[in-house]
């Protein structure tokens, strides 16, 4: 989203002189790991339920034109208010938050589309369900799924290596896969936001997840067949939900 705002409102920011650089606002970026579930209402109101405790981290996005600015007073007031709610709010440096955001993007790019397409909870990506129904499931399916997941993680790692080379040592394919599986396990009973959106006939965020990775890969000359396939299938499922000609 930050890149989209920059393209839309500050397309020539790299050409700004020092005297106009101050006109570019300070961006405070955040990451949230709390569990949330949107539940429909009769009036179609936006009602979200807090389902799991996590944390919130914030950092100032550095500017290429200015030294790292101080946190604006308005942002301090916001963070103080959030901190009083018990949401475990912290302010960190951009490097640490950027690393966390890239891992979260990778997890979302795998867990969200796969669960939306398969209509399953997150835990199915980590291991077969430990109940009697496991005997009826082809175990080879899970092995194939793990292979595809490894390919997706390798693809995302290759994109990050070109786009964010300073973090390449921390964002290896294995590190990404370990993180994705960890998230799938600790959120095993959860329905991903993309599955909720598809089930409710809403537009998903695939454009900003897999679509973003496809565009980033293209920008840096990295092929993205896995993310392109996931993106295309989710968009197809979105369209199918809005057209009933073949039902």
């Amino acid at each position: 989203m930050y890149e989209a705002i920059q393209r839309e409102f500050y397309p020539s920011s790299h050409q700004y002189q020092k005297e106009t650089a101050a006109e570019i606002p300070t961006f405070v970026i955040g990451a949230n790991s709390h569990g949330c579930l949107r539940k429909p209402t009769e009036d179609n109101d936006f009602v979200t339920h807090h389902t799991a405790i996590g944390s919130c981290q914030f950092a100032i996005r550095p500017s290429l034109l200015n030294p790292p600015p101080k946190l604006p007073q308005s942002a301090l007031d916001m963070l103080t208010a959030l901190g009083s709610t018990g949401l475990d709010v912290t302010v960190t440096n951009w490097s640490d938050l950027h690393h966390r955001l890239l891992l979260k993007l990778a997890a979302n790019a795998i867990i969200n589309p796969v669960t939306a397409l398969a209509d399953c909870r997150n835990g199915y990506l980590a291991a077969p369900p430990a109940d009697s129904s496991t005997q009826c499931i082809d175990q080879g399916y899970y092995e194939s799924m793990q292979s595809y997941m490894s390919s997706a993680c390798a693809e995302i790692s290759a994109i990050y290596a070109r786009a964010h080379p300073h973090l390449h040592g921390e964002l290896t394919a294995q590190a990404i896969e370990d993180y994705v599986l960890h998230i799938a396990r600790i959120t095993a009973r959860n329905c991903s936001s993309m599955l909720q959106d598809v089930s409710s006939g809403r537009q998903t965020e695939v454009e900003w997840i897999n679509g973003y990775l496809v565009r980033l890969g293209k920008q840096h000359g990295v092929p993205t067949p896995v993310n392109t396939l996931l993106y295309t299938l989710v968009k197809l499922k979105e369209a199918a939900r809005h057209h009933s000609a073949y039902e």
Side-chain angles (χ1 to χ4, degrees):
M1 185 62 73
Y2 169 81
E3 288 85 355
I5 293 173
Q6 288 284 1
R7 287 195 305 269
E8 180 70 21
F9 298 102
Y10 309 102
S12 302
S13 60
H14 64 284
Q15 299 174 354
Y16 277 47
Q17 301 299 317
K18 288 184 178 180
E19 58 269 20
T20 58
E23 298 177 7
I24 302 177
T26 298
F27 288 89
V28 179
I29 311 296
N32 166 51
S33 64
H34 289 272
C36 299
L37 177 64
R38 181 177 178 182
K39 291 188 176 181
T41 64
E42 292 182 0
D43 299 324
N44 200 28
D45 293 330
F46 188 83
V47 178
T48 302
H49 296 259
H50 186 234
T51 58
I53 295 294
S55 63
C56 296
Q57 286 186 316
F58 294 89
I60 295 176
R61 180 70 161 82
S63 168
L64 296 176
L65 303 168
N66 295 314
K70 293 182 179 179
L71 203 62
Q73 185 60 47
S74 58
L76 284 171
D77 293 342
M78 177 195 71
L79 295 176
T80 300
L82 286 174
S84 66
T85 62
L87 294 177
D88 189 14
V89 176
T90 57
V91 178
T92 185
N93 61 70
W94 171 246
S95 179
D96 289 346
L97 182 63
H98 193 201
H99 175 251
R100 176 176 176 174
L101 288 172
L102 291 173
L103 282 175
K104 185 175 181 179
L105 173 61
N108 285 339
I110 296 173
I111 295 174
N112 272 275
V114 172
T115 54
L117 292 168
D119 192 15
C120 67
R121 295 180 184 268
N122 296 356
Y124 279 83
L125 275 70
D131 56 35
S132 58
S133 64
T134 304
Q135 299 175 1
C136 304
I137 299 176
D138 180 4
Q139 298 302 304
Y141 158 75
Y142 287 96
E143 295 177 5
S144 297
M145 183 179 65
Q146 290 293 331
S147 177
Y148 281 116
M149 186 182 298
S150 296
S151 297
C153 293
E155 181 175 295
I156 294 172
S157 179
I159 297 170
Y160 288 168
R162 293 284 186 88
H164 310 288
H166 61 293
L167 292 174
H168 178 51
E170 302 173 65
L171 296 170
T172 63
Q174 189 59 58
I176 291 173
E177 184 170 352
D178 289 344
Y179 181 80
V180 172
L181 289 172
H182 168 70
I183 295 299
R185 291 189 187 101
I186 65 174
T187 62
R189 294 183 177 275
N190 292 9
C191 293
S192 71
S193 60
M194 197 170 290
L195 172 57
Q196 294 177 50
D197 288 338
V198 166
S199 300
S200 300
R202 297 189 297 263
Q203 185 177 3
T204 72
E205 294 180 311
V206 71
E207 191 70 47
W208 301 102
I209 301 175
N210 301 88
Y212 170 76
L213 287 171
V214 170
R215 293 189 295 273
L216 191 62
K218 184 176 181 180
Q219 178 183 342
H220 292 278
V222 180
T224 56
V226 179
N227 279 281
T228 298
L229 178 61
L230 291 172
Y231 170 82
T232 303
L233 291 176
V234 171
K235 296 299 286 186
L236 179 62
K237 191 158 189 174
E238 279 185 3
R241 290 284 183 176
H242 288 87
H243 297 282
S244 56
Y246 298 104
E247 294 181 359

